[in-house]
Amino acid sequence: MTDLLAEVLEAHGGGARWERLSTVTATIVSDGELFAAKGLPRDLQPRRMTVALHDEHASVRPFGAPDQRTDFTPGRIAIERTDGTVVAERRAPRTAFTGHTLETPWDPLDRAYFNGYALWTYLTTPFFTLMPGMRVAEADPWDESPTERWRCLRVTFPEDIASHSTVQHFYFGDDRLLRRHDYHVDIAGGFAAAQYVHDIREADGIRFPTRRRAYLRQPDGRPDHDHLMVSIDLSDLRYV
């Protein structure tokens, strides 16, 4: 473990506290240009997200109907009724995105898969780095302004974890709290994103950002504020 990673984990609540927890639930509201590009209707309905902390499993409800939810793992995405009846499912869901561009339409299972892996990543940052197979190294810092430099951790994800891209970069302020997350959205043509996080809160001993704003990332690394690809607001987080 790098010295920076140790400091980051401690700033967000500490690895010992994290190991005593198993799941997190949160109310989420999402929006942004990505969903419009995918031909999906705008929907600002609050939803309840549940994420496992030590294996990659997530679910959100309602989804598509008041009595429906999603069930996500890297090897399967499903839409189910709350009684467990399967409405639709797809095995090996990542393969369905082969050849996709930013403008390729998504069906409900596509969106459910994206939602599952993305929110799992966000709600377990930075503690997923403790999972087997994660490779973490300090990378070049980012100068956000002439007076603000953020240190960076480069994370290489193992093949059995679904996420935006294999290599992602996470930037931290002097307090070692997350400020920015950079990645490529491989399932949407590989566009580059710079996601800024805001409004750090604490719940059950864990510190987390409650506002996320992902912009197109320009070749110089700067965010294109004219293109807000995804916005996510989180509230009522509970870790157990």
Side-chain angles (χ1 to χ4, degrees):
M1 182 183 297
T2 69
D3 290 342
L4 176 57
L5 177 56
E7 294 172 9
V8 163
L9 293 173
E10 188 62 28
H12 287 83
R17 174 60 182 156
W18 186 258
E19 290 300 324
R20 292 195 294 270
L21 302 169
S22 59
T23 61
V24 58
T25 57
T27 297
I28 64 169
V29 176
S30 59
D31 197 11
E33 292 183 22
L34 175 62
F35 305 116
K38 293 301 182 182
L40 299 171
R42 191 179 191 205
D43 185 353
L44 300 180
Q45 178 183 6
R47 290 176 169 79
R48 196 68 181 163
M49 190 86 202
T50 302
V51 161
L53 303 185
H54 304 294
D55 61 283
E56 195 175 12
H57 186 198
S59 177
V60 66
R61 61 178 174 81
F63 189 88
D67 65 339
Q68 291 182 177
R69 66 190 178 201
T70 67
D71 187 66
F72 160 82
T73 63
R76 174 182 177 268
I77 185 64
I79 301 168
E80 302 174 341
R81 294 193 176 91
T82 51
D83 66 2
T85 304
V86 175
V87 176
E89 71 173 343
R90 182 174 293 151
R91 302 283 178 173
R94 194 80 171 201
T95 61
F97 297 94
T98 301
H100 275 217
T101 68
L102 179 56
E103 293 77 23
T104 304
W106 277 354
D107 64 21
L109 286 171
D110 293 330
R111 177 164 188 170
Y113 176 81
F114 172 80
N115 182 86
Y117 84 67
L119 268 296
W120 180 87
T121 301
Y122 305 154
L123 288 170
T124 61
T125 300
F127 297 100
F128 61 71
T129 57
L130 298 171
M131 294 176 67
M134 295 283 180
R135 289 184 287 150
V136 184
E138 187 163 359
D140 293 338
W142 170 257
D143 291 322
E144 178 65 14
S145 70
T147 60
E148 192 170 7
R149 170 169 284 196
W150 297 340
R151 289 176 69 181
C152 176
L153 288 174
R154 181 180 65 248
V155 179
T156 303
F157 287 71
E159 291 184 358
D160 60 345
I161 295 293
S163 194
H164 291 302
S165 51
T166 300
V167 178
Q168 302 178 38
H169 293 81
F170 300 81
Y171 297 90
F172 303 90
D174 290 341
D175 56 6
R176 300 298 180 255
L177 294 174
L178 184 66
R179 295 290 195 276
R180 172 173 157 164
H181 173 198
D182 284 7
Y183 48 86
H184 291 83
V185 184
D186 287 348
I187 65 171
F191 74 84
Q195 182 179 117
Y196 282 76
V197 305
H198 312 276
D199 295 347
I200 302 289
R201 305 289 174 87
E202 182 174 333
D204 304 303
I206 302 299
R207 303 183 77 184
F208 57 90
T210 58
R211 294 176 61 242
R212 291 176 171 269
R213 300 293 185 266
Y215 302 93
L216 282 182
R217 176 159 41 97
Q218 301 178 103
D220 64 358
R222 297 287 169 185
D224 182 350
H225 288 285
D226 291 332
H227 293 286
L228 176 58
M229 302 307 291
V230 176
S231 68
I232 302 172
D233 292 339
L234 300 131
S235 61
D236 192 23
L237 269 80
R238 299 178 184 179
Y239 293 88
V240 295

